Amino acid sequence: MLNALVAAQTAEESAHGWEGHLPMAPIAFGIVAACILLAMLIVTWSFKSVGNRH
C-alpha cells in the first residue's frame, strides 16, 4: 500500500516538473533556522534570573 502511494506521488511530481525543486535556496533554510534559534536564545536570555528579583 505504501509503495503504491509513493509511486503515485512520484509520478505526480514528475508530471508537474516538481522533482528536485525546493521552495527556496538551500542556504536560505540554514539562515532561517539560525534566525529562529537566535530569536529563541534572546527570549530565553531575557528570562534569565527572573526568579531572583523577589
Side-chain angles (χ1 to χ4, degrees):
M1 179 70 179
L2 182 60
N3 290 339
L5 292 174
V6 171
Q9 182 66 30
T10 304
E12 181 180 339
E13 288 176 356
S14 295
H16 292 292
W18 294 343
E19 189 172 344
H21 180 70
L22 294 174
M24 57 185 167
I27 191 70
F29 284 103
I31 293 170
V32 168
C35 290
I36 290 171
L37 289 171
L38 184 62
M40 290 191 302
L41 174 68
I42 290 169
V43 169
T44 302
W45 195 268
S46 69
F47 286 102
K48 180 182 169 190
S49 70
V50 168
N52 294 336
R53 292 183 191 169
H54 301 290

